[in-house]
Amino acid sequence: MRGVSGLLRGLWRRRVLPVALAYVAVASVLAPAAILLTKALNLPSWSDDAAMIGLLILFASAVWLAWNAGAEAARHEAAPTPSRAGGATIAVLPFANLSQQAADEVFADGMVEDLITGLSLSSTLTVISRTSTFAYKNRSPDVRAVAADLGCDFVLEGSVRRVGERLRVTAQLIDGATGSHVWADKYDRPVEALFDLQDVLIRQIAAALGDAVVDAEFERLRRNPASVSAWEEAMRAFLALERPTIESAQVALGHGRRSVALDP
């Protein structure tokens, strides 16, 4: 079972599985349509077989292209990324969801996604990728071991609790070499103030690291959605896609459509 699970994860990372699922979904509509069209136009009986063969050829081509594109992306990910001169390397671990509702995990995971993106705007900070840090989700590892494993100087960890329409967030920045706290804070804000809270966190973390983040550049590059609800729907779509099944793809599509409807 582990071998099968590993194979599926590999196919998902290389985008083969998403492409295959999408193709099957489209083909399930095109195939009946082709058969109806054949009957409506009184085409020869072998036309159905030709259409099926064509769909299979297209399927094989799509999977082959996805595999090659995924392999190329994997090579780029595996290539060592040079550290930015004079800057620190930081890993943002998945925040713990302390809410009573498991569905509120989207706020914890979404906040980490945005923190990684926001900190990456710095011209001197090197931020460990989400793929690497989310391997520690639902675990309580020793920070020094994490820092050694990921090759980072600092580790950020925290928690998110949603209580009604308020968010309670804690965050702490830890020196990877010593395990000592560099900075820590806690916040109690309305849910609608989520984006402002993320901006505050990014600036405070950068200040604690002594990183010269230029506010003008930050404001120019940082683009928040107009709606927290739209952001939440988008995050739920991403979370659903982490568990690749036909059902989860349909769930993700539903969240994606609602996100676009709320904030085109």
Side-chain angles (χ1 to χ4, degrees):
M1 288 300 292
R2 289 184 179 179
V4 173
S5 177
L7 175 62
L8 289 175
R9 283 196 297 269
L11 292 174
W12 186 263
R13 282 197 300 272
R14 291 198 175 192
R15 298 294 184 266
V16 173
L17 213 51
V19 168
L21 289 172
Y23 191 93
V24 169
V26 173
S28 65
V29 176
L30 292 180
I35 294 173
L36 289 175
L37 185 62
T38 298
K39 292 180 179 179
L41 298 179
N42 294 318
L43 295 176
S45 58
W46 53 261
S47 299
D48 291 345
D49 295 334
M52 294 304 102
I53 292 172
L55 287 173
L56 287 173
I57 292 174
L58 288 174
F59 176 77
S61 300
V63 169
W64 181 81
L65 288 172
W67 175 267
N68 281 278
E72 183 66 23
R75 282 195 291 272
H76 283 296
E77 288 180 3
T81 303
S83 295
R84 302 179 186 181
T89 302
I90 182 173
V92 184
L93 295 184
F95 279 24
N97 173 35
L98 302 183
S99 302
Q100 294 181 349
Q101 300 295 326
D104 288 336
E105 185 176 356
V106 66
F107 284 93
D109 288 352
M111 176 164 286
V112 171
E113 293 267 8
D114 284 357
L115 287 176
I116 290 174
T117 301
L119 289 169
S120 298
L121 296 177
S122 166
S123 58
T124 57
L125 281 179
T126 297
V127 184
I128 301 297
S129 72
R130 175 195 185 282
T131 305
S132 298
T133 58
F134 266 68
Y136 296 95
K137 186 172 180 179
N138 298 324
R139 294 166 56 185
S140 300
D142 181 272
V143 170
R144 288 171 293 185
V146 172
D149 184 36
L150 298 179
C152 60
D153 305 305
F154 300 93
V155 175
L156 180 72
E157 59 181 13
S159 65
V160 177
R161 181 193 299 273
R162 183 178 183 181
V163 182
E165 292 305 310
R166 298 194 69 82
L167 287 177
R168 294 175 181 173
V169 178
T170 64
Q172 51 188 2
L173 185 65
I174 303 171
D175 188 311
T178 65
S180 59
H181 286 72
V182 176
W183 164 87
D185 210 339
K186 58 183 178 180
Y187 311 85
D188 189 336
R189 304 285 175 86
V191 171
E192 290 302 318
L194 172 67
F195 304 135
D196 291 336
L197 173 56
Q198 289 174 347
D199 291 347
V200 168
L201 272 170
I202 291 168
R203 287 192 170 95
Q204 289 190 347
I205 294 164
L209 293 173
D211 182 62
V213 177
V214 181
D215 282 349
E217 179 182 274
F218 181 86
E219 292 297 340
R220 179 175 62 82
L221 294 175
R222 178 81 166 153
R223 291 293 181 269
N224 286 325
S227 165
V228 172
S229 297
W231 173 90
E232 181 180 354
E233 291 292 344
M235 289 300 110
R236 291 192 187 281
F238 291 135
L239 286 174
L241 288 176
E242 288 184 346
R243 305 168 182 85
T245 65
I246 293 177
E247 290 77 11
S248 66
Q250 292 172 338
V251 170
L253 183 60
H255 287 303
R257 284 172 172 164
R258 285 192 289 275
S259 178
V260 172
L262 289 166
D263 183 0

